[in-house]
Amino acid sequence: MTAAPEGTEGAFRCAVERVIQDVFTTIVLLRPEHAAPDAPPLRMELEREDAPTVLDNQLVWISAQPRDILLLRSSADTKLQHRQHITG
């Protein structure tokens, strides 16, 4: 994911929930507008020198390419698939 100017095709607005400074990078946790309340935040990693302008509670526009998205299964999904496999 990358920061994008407003109006960029495929970009969407997010609230910055948390900014975590690491030694070489800055991790930004984002909540897309209109996301479900229980949806996990999105994680964006920036080079530390690119991050000073990102602040908690700020609204930012981001763009994500399909190659940038890693989908993870929850343990509930895994258990359901396992049950379906067993019962066949």
Side-chain angles (χ1 to χ4, degrees):
M1 287 189 299
T2 58
E6 183 176 346
T8 300
E9 184 177 345
F12 51 98
R13 201 158 76 158
C14 295
V16 176
E17 286 197 340
R18 187 169 175 202
V19 178
I20 304 163
Q21 298 291 337
D22 199 3
V23 176
F24 300 109
T25 61
T26 298
I27 298 164
V28 183
L29 299 181
L30 303 162
R31 172 131 346 252
E33 277 190 329
H34 311 295
D38 60 343
L42 300 177
R43 181 183 183 275
M44 181 170 65
E45 190 170 321
L46 303 169
E47 294 297 322
R48 192 159 178 151
E49 57 270 4
D50 296 335
T53 59
V54 179
L55 303 171
D56 286 338
N57 301 315
Q58 179 182 23
L59 292 175
V60 295
W61 285 86
I62 64 163
S63 175
Q65 300 298 316
R67 69 176 180 273
D68 297 331
I69 298 172
L70 175 62
L71 299 176
L72 303 174
R73 289 189 190 155
S74 72
S75 60
D77 292 339
T78 305
K79 289 176 187 174
L80 177 62
Q81 286 181 347
H82 181 71
R83 248 186 262 126
Q84 287 174 341
H85 178 72
I86 291 173
T87 59

